């Protein structure tokens, strides 16, 4: 059986919110890096599907404005955060700062992008207020550049 990196992580010892490098891989001279972006402490009440879905739509745009080389940002099935995949590599502090600045920018958003049946696979399942609330809560706690020790990263 193949080993899956996130299945090896002890989810009882992490301290969210944090950014963690899950893996880096180089093939044919090109490097990609995958990050574990944990907004909610594992095994505490998770994000609603609507809040997670709205954050996905908003961060898909906001994070690309803050961070170079974004390939993908996808929600975790456990609804406690996202996986981010980048071209190249950045430090967890750089990603945490970009994420924090992106979340901060959400407070002034008044509509969710791509919420028609043409643009989205479940366009009714959105909640802007809940997404903005979680963004605010994450910013209050600070985003740590270390998964196991609180090292909140300044945003400016
Ligand atoms: Zn969608």
């Amino acid at each position: 059986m193949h080993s899956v990196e996130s299945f090896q992580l002890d989810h009882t010892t992490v301290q969210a919110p944090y950014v963690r490098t899950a893996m880096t891989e180089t093939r044919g001279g090109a490097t990609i890096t995958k990050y574990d972006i944990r907004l909610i402490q594992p095994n505490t009440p998770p994000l609603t599907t609507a809040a997670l879905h709205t954050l996905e739509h908003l961060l898909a745009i906001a994070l690309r404005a803050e961070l170079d080389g974004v390939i993908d940002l996808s929600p975790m099935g456990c609804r406690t955060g996202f996986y981010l995949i980048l071209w190249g590599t950045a430090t967890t502090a750089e990603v945490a700062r970009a994420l924090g600045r992106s979340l901060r920018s959400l407070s002034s958003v008044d509509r969710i992008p791509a919420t028609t049946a043409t643009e989205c696979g479940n366009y009714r399942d959105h909640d802007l207020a809940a997404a903005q609330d979680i963004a605010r809560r994450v910013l209050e706690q600070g985003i740590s550049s270390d998964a196991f020790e609180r090292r909140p990263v300044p945003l400016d």
Side-chain angles (χ1 to χ4, degrees):
M1 205 156 75
H2 288 289
S3 125
V4 176
E5 193 276 341
S6 69
F7 295 172
Q8 314 298 320
L9 175 71
D10 182 348
H11 287 71
T12 67
T13 58
V14 298
Q15 296 188 58
Y18 67 78
V19 174
R20 182 181 70 90
T21 302
M23 61 88 88
T24 298
E25 191 164 325
T26 301
R27 287 192 191 188
T31 298
I32 61 163
T33 308
K34 177 181 176 181
Y35 300 88
D36 160 1
I37 291 185
R38 197 74 60 159
L39 301 181
I40 303 289
Q41 184 64 26
N43 298 299
T44 68
L47 293 168
T48 63
T49 60
L52 185 69
H53 188 191
T54 298
L55 272 179
E56 180 200 10
H57 278 232
L58 294 170
L59 287 175
I61 291 171
L63 201 55
R64 282 178 168 87
E66 293 289 343
L67 203 56
D68 194 39
V70 173
I71 296 173
D72 184 50
L73 180 79
S74 296
M76 294 175 175
C78 59
R79 292 186 274 125
T80 61
F82 292 87
Y83 285 111
L84 169 69
I85 303 174
L86 290 187
W87 283 114
T89 193
T91 65
T92 54
E94 286 167 339
V95 174
R97 182 171 178 273
L99 174 68
R101 290 168 63 94
S102 301
L103 291 173
R104 195 167 61 183
S105 76
L106 302 190
S107 64
S108 59
V109 168
D110 56 10
R111 69 171 280 281
I112 308 162
T115 46
T116 66
T118 308
E119 298 163 314
C120 176
N122 191 359
Y123 77 97
R124 292 182 188 88
D125 191 32
H126 279 285
D127 189 336
L128 179 58
Q132 288 172 319
D133 187 54
I134 190 64
R136 198 162 41 239
R137 274 160 48 197
V138 166
L139 291 171
E140 276 167 16
Q141 296 170 82
I143 305 164
S144 177
S145 60
D146 189 282
F148 304 100
E149 263 177 48
R150 294 297 300 156
R151 287 185 201 155
V153 168
L155 303 188
D156 294 301

